[in-house]
Every structure is written in structure tokens, then in C-alpha cells.
Amino acid sequence: MTLPTSRIALLVTASALSSALVPAPAAARTTTAPVASDTSSHPQESGADIIVTGRLISGNADPISAPVVLSGEALTRDLRPQIGEMLASLPGVSSTGFAPGVSRPVLRGFDGPRVQVLLDGIGSLDASSVSADHAVSLDTLNIDRVEVLHGPRVLLYASDPAGGAVNAVDKRIPRKVPEKAFTVDALGSFGTAADMVNGGVATDIRLASRLVAHLDASYYHSDDLRVGGHVLSPQLRAQTLAQASDLADAGDLTGAATLAQQANRRGKIANSGTEGWTLGGGLAFIDDGGDIGVSVQRLATDYGIPPRPSADPEATSISLRQTRVDLRAGLNLSGFLKRLEVRGAYGDYEHAEIEGGEIGTQFHNKAVEVRVQADQARRGIWSGSTGAQYSSSQLDINGDEKLLPNNNSDRFAVFTLQRLEVGRFDLEGALRYENTRIRTIPARDYRNFDQYAAVAGAAWHPTDTVTLSFNYAHGERAPSAEELFIDGMHDATQSYERGNPNFKVERSDSIEAGARYNGGDIAASVTVFGTNFANFITAVPTGEVIEDFPVYQYLQAPARFRGIEAEGGVTFARWGDKAIKADGGVDYTHARLVDRGPVPRIPPVRARGGLQFDSSAFTLRGEVEWNAKQTRVTENENPTNAFTLVNASATWRPFGEQGPLSLILAADNLLDVTGRLAASETRDFVPIAGRDVRITARFTY
């Protein structure tokens, strides 16, 4: 195969820039970019995704395990500074809800290192998996779409497919040359629950026929979050009032009054305000032979950590900064391969925990990640992708609260995903080998783990409207440095955490079966799944208390996860450009540690239903979401009560469906109920937001 000179130059330049991104060994968690999907020959399979627009299934689907995609006006309506909160209403997705300024997505009951959170296929290159109080370094205002992935494609990101992955596709490295001299995308919003102001602007500028520049900036600010009732859960209120009574009996009237005030607090979560900004720019060369682009981002966010009740409360907040450089380069080929792509990123991350107005513990993480992926041209019934990736990160912690030794993590992986289409059957297989090395600094402890993962799936299309699918997955995950070596008091999480340096590779075996129907005006999907872990790693509360902080101990034990996700939609009236639609869904995860009881922090049954009116000028939507009580909790963990959310939104497009302006008025939790997320470590003193009315304006030119 002979490459034209321009393509050789692109490849050489990409390799040089990729090498430039890799300083001395230091970098990130293993992740990969998503595979480009071939257009399927099956009539039902018009695309690779289930597209969620107004939370209604479009019916497009990857044959084996369809990703859910949030994009367009649905993305604008649900936009939040934190990725976990933004995705929390999608099927099978909850949020860690640690604080208004920090939340990670929870997929099918899995969170932390089991759920890869990616920016255009590359890790977030931060310290968000070190602890639940660390925010994900992601500029949500600069995202085009978000994919929630399960099944074979997850092996292109990690060796543990059980939890899945979240991939946010951003606009910072342009993917096409705009037809106009420049484009502008601007957004601004205001929300009443925390007086949040949120805004951003991005522009792509055509510098030449094949050269595009990108610039963007965003800002958000919120005050303390308003809630519908008491801040503390009934159990924690009773415990706090009992402690206040004990202090009063002991003669400490000041401490007793402080505790009583916290126990009876209503209406606002103290120390929960947030503020942040980003600046970014990118440059891309794009032609028929390929493309190459780089981008730079500077992100800053400051947020408060709501306090656990204490007779001597001390406000803790986090000041987070990250500089990130990204590279994407690709060659469009002819022959066996249709595209060869290089992705790389370097991140310089730091955050400081501010305690009582002074800098306490500081976290520094320098990380790099590089991946190469080759996409095969479709040959009859056969297509696929193969690649390799390397990541390295070095985490340094300074301060009195050094609960984790400095450490370096290196990962190398090779992977492949292959697909066959045979008549009305689709077959997919994915393999991944990954090596993980974790070393504490100075070199006292060293761990080396080999992980092997495989997924095999099949889909049958008995008719043009029906798909039946099944897949089996074996996954292996190396324990993280935090799970191995953490040991100490953590003011930000307000807990004492202990790891175990003797942990082995966590192994799981999963099955997933699904059925999908797309009949035009009617679309539906149901998925059932089960995962058995030989040695599941989790942190459980022991009941022990050290200096008023509960103790969490990491342990490794067999575990069983079972669950279901179902959703459907029907358009039952159409006239002209107008339509009335209804949709609904339910998800549930049941998880237990064998011979020990329930897995901690598992979301309960959730059901929702909505009604929507669409036209070229207006979209009106109302929905109800019911969250069941969660009484299946581990020892020393409090149950959560059921709650029901009523939400409504109205979108006005004054210049029509293709016009430049959209105005959205949305109201969440209209009844101002108090609810607590079972997946949250802080649910006893951080309830969900109260009534929140938001107005959002988006302008696109």
C-alpha cells in the first residue's frame, strides 16, 4: 500500500506531536477512544446509538449493546457543571451526589474506577477516582454529546466491562471545516435552587480552506443549594440531637447549641456554593486524506464540601486547577484499513483542600495517555478495529492529611473488536490485554497486575423492527492505588478510610440480554443483566468512629449484581409538524456481597413517565419520576425514603426548528420534595436540590 506524500507527512507529524506529549513517566488511567461504527445493512439499524432526545428512544441501535446518547436540546436542557448530575435521569444512571460541586455517574450500581469517564475517548487525567469529593475535570459547556456505553465496546476503554463507560465528545479540536467564515455557539442559563449563573461561548474560525481554529470560554457560579426540608436525614438528626443532649448534660452548652442548630437546619445546605471557569482553544488541519489537530484547556473550579454535624464545625472547600493538552490525528486510507488514528493527551492537575481558610492537603497529578487505533474497511460481512494504548500518572500528596503515599501508575493495553454480519445475525467479539503497575514513592511497595478481558455478543433481527441480543463478558480490573494503600483521616470526605495492600485482581463474569422494537411511532427497549464477581472490592462502614469520623474499610469478597433497564415511547398523534408523544422507563439493580449482605450505596427501583408535545416552534414536556425507598443497605448504613419528582419544561424556537435561537424554561422538583440518593456517601447530610426553575438561552450561528 502506497501512501501519498501528504498522508505520510500527517502520520510523521502526528507521531512527533504524540511523543512531545509524553514527558518523563507520568500519566493517567487506561482508556480508549470509541470505535467508528459502520452503517449496518439491517433496515432497523440506521445508526450506532439509541438517541435520547427529550428522553424518547429513536430506535437507532448498535446490534449488540446500544449506547444511550444525550445530545441536542435534551443535552442543553439537562446541562449542569458536573457530569454525574447531568446524566442522572438517563436509564440505568444515577449520581454519587457527594456535593453540589462534585458528582460522578453511577452505572448499574457501579462507580469510581469501575466507570471510565472519558473526554473524546481519553481519560479525565485528574484525581477524581481517588476520592468521592474530587470533581471530574470536564467542561460540560463544551460538549456536543455524551455516550453511556455497555457491552463489547467498553473493552476499547478498559479491561472491566461490568460497569460501563461514559464518553463525552467535545468540540475543542474541530472535526470539519465550517462552510461559513466562522460559527458561534453561545449559551447562558440561570437556576433558582442555588442562584446559579452558567454561561459559555465557542467559535470555530475558518483560517484557510483546510485550516480551522477554535476558541471557547465558560463560567459558572452558584450559592448554597436550597432544599425542600431538613438538611439532615431523620436518623442523623436523631443522632445529632442525642449528642447535643449529652454535651448539655456535660456542661458544654456552646457545643450543644451548635449541634442542635445543625440538627434543625432547613432550607439550605451550608458551604455548598461553587464557582468555576474554563478557557480553551484548538487548531485543526482537515482534508480528504486525513486530519490533525491540537487543543489546550485551562480549567478552574472552587467548591464547598457540606459539613457533617460537629460541635466544632470547620468549613472545607476545594480549589481545583488543570491544564490539559490534547492531540488527535488520523489518516483516511484505502485498502484493508480505512482509518488510522492517534489520540493523546497530557494533563497537569492540582487541587488544594482549604480547611478553616488555610491550605491543607494538596494533590498534584501529572498524567499522559496515548492510543493508536486502526479501523478496518468493511470486507463483505467483516469489519472491526484494533489498537494499543499507554497511560501513566504520578500522584503526589502534600500536607498533614497525607492519607495515601505518593504513587506512580502505568498501564499498557492492546485490544481488538471484530464484527460479522451474517444474514439477519450480527456477531461481535472483543479482546483486551492490559498490564498495570503501581509503585509507591519512595519505592517501598510495588504491585504488578495482568488483566485479560473478553466479550462475545450476538444479535438476531427476526424482522426489520425487532432486535434480540445477548452478550457474555469476562472482565478483570486491577485494584487502584487508593484501594491498596489509603489509610487515614480525610476531612473533605469526613471519614477515615483504610485500604488493603494485599488485594488481588478483581474478576467478573457478566451476561446481558436485550430486546428492542422500533416500529416508527412505537419504540421500546428492555435489557436484563447479571454480574458475578469472584472478589469484588468495596468500602464498607465498620461502625467504628475516629475523632467523630466514621471508618470505612475496603474489603474484597464475592458479589452478585442483577438488574433490569426498560424504556419505551409512543407517538400517538400527528398533524402537520406537530406530534404528541409519551414515554416511560424503569431501572433496578439488586446487589449483594455473598455471605455478608447488600453492597453499599446501590440505587433503588426507579420509574418515570413523561408526556411531550412537539412542533417546529415549541416543545412542551412534563414528567414524573418515582424513586423507591432503599432498605437493602449494608450494616451501619442508613436506609433512604421514597420520593417523587415532578418536572416540566418548555422550549421555544422563535425562528423555527432550524433557527439560531432556542429558549428553554425548565422546572425540576416542582413539589419541592426532600430526597436522598442511595448511591451517595453524603446522603444523610446532602439531600437533592429543592424546587429549581431554570431559564436557558442558546444561540447558534
Side-chain angles (χ1 to χ4, degrees), residues 36-42 45-48 338 378 383 419 421:
S37 298
D38 286 303
T39 302
S40 171
S41 60
H42 298 297
E45 312 302 333
S46 58
K338 67 177 182 180
R378 182 167 172 171
S383 60
R419 178 178 175 184
E421 294 185 18

Side-chain angles (χ1 to χ4, degrees), residues 229-384:
H230 281 104
V231 172
L232 303 189
S233 68
Q235 300 91 334
L236 188 55
R237 281 191 69 218
Q239 178 183 334
T240 304
L241 289 172
Q243 291 174 343
S245 178
D246 291 343
L247 287 180
D249 292 343
D252 186 357
L253 300 182
T254 301
T258 300
L259 280 175
Q261 182 184 33
Q262 294 172 71
N264 295 315
R265 187 178 181 90
R266 298 177 60 97
K268 280 190 178 183
I269 302 176
N271 196 43
S272 59
T274 67
E275 185 173 27
W277 55 265
T278 61
L279 290 173
L283 186 67
F285 172 85
I286 304 167
D287 73 359
D288 293 339
D291 55 88
I292 183 168
V294 294
S295 69
V296 180
Q297 169 191 275
R298 177 65 173 175
L299 178 147
T301 182
D302 300 288
Y303 55 93
I305 302 296
R308 185 183 293 273
S310 171
D312 185 21
E314 188 174 81
T316 299
S317 61
I318 287 183
S319 179
L320 181 159
R321 303 291 184 268
Q322 186 193 49
T323 299
R324 175 174 171 138
V325 181
D326 279 84
L327 160 75
R328 185 179 66 242
L331 295 175
N332 300 324
L333 306 171
S334 59
F336 180 73
L337 298 179
K338 67 177 182 180
R339 182 169 172 84
L340 179 65
E341 184 166 287
V342 177
R343 278 285 283 121
Y346 169 74
D348 188 348
Y349 168 95
E350 63 179 351
H351 84 247
E353 297 181 353
I354 314 297
E355 302 162 6
E358 297 185 0
I359 294 178
T361 307
Q362 295 176 287
F363 292 73
H364 302 266
N365 191 59
K366 291 188 176 182
V368 68
E369 186 167 325
V370 179
R371 58 171 286 109
V372 179
Q373 181 171 310
D375 296 333
Q376 300 158 211
R378 182 167 172 171
R379 299 293 179 186
I381 64 173
W382 178 32
S383 60

Side-chain angles (χ1 to χ4, degrees), residues 119 137-142 170-173 199-203 214-220 276-282 294-301 320-326:
L119 180 61
S137 300
L138 190 68
D139 177 16
T140 58
L141 278 169
N142 201 47
D170 76 343
K171 339 174 215 189
R172 199 157 274 135
I173 300 178
V201 61
T203 180
H214 171 94
L215 296 171
D216 65 78
S218 65
Y219 173 80
Y220 64 89
W277 55 265
T278 61
L279 290 173
V294 294
S295 69
V296 180
Q297 169 191 275
R298 177 65 173 175
L299 178 147
T301 182
L320 181 159
R321 303 291 184 268
Q322 186 193 49
T323 299
R324 175 174 171 138
V325 181
D326 279 84

Side-chain angles (χ1 to χ4, degrees), residues 523-571:
S525 172
V526 59
T527 302
V528 294
F529 58 89
T531 301
N532 289 350
F533 285 89
N535 42 12
F536 183 76
I537 299 173
T538 188
V540 298
T542 65
E544 183 184 0
V545 175
I546 297 179
E547 295 185 22
D548 295 329
F549 285 178
V551 175
Y552 287 81
Q553 174 68 57
Y554 281 95
L555 58 82
Q556 196 163 38
R560 304 289 183 263
F561 282 70
R562 305 288 185 266
I564 184 171
E565 298 166 6
E567 58 174 345
V570 57
T571 301

Side-chain angles (χ1 to χ4, degrees), residues 180-200:
K180 297 178 283 191
F182 66 93
T183 65
V184 176
D185 188 10
L187 181 144
S189 67
F190 174 78
T192 61
D195 293 331
M196 172 173 278
V197 176
N198 202 3

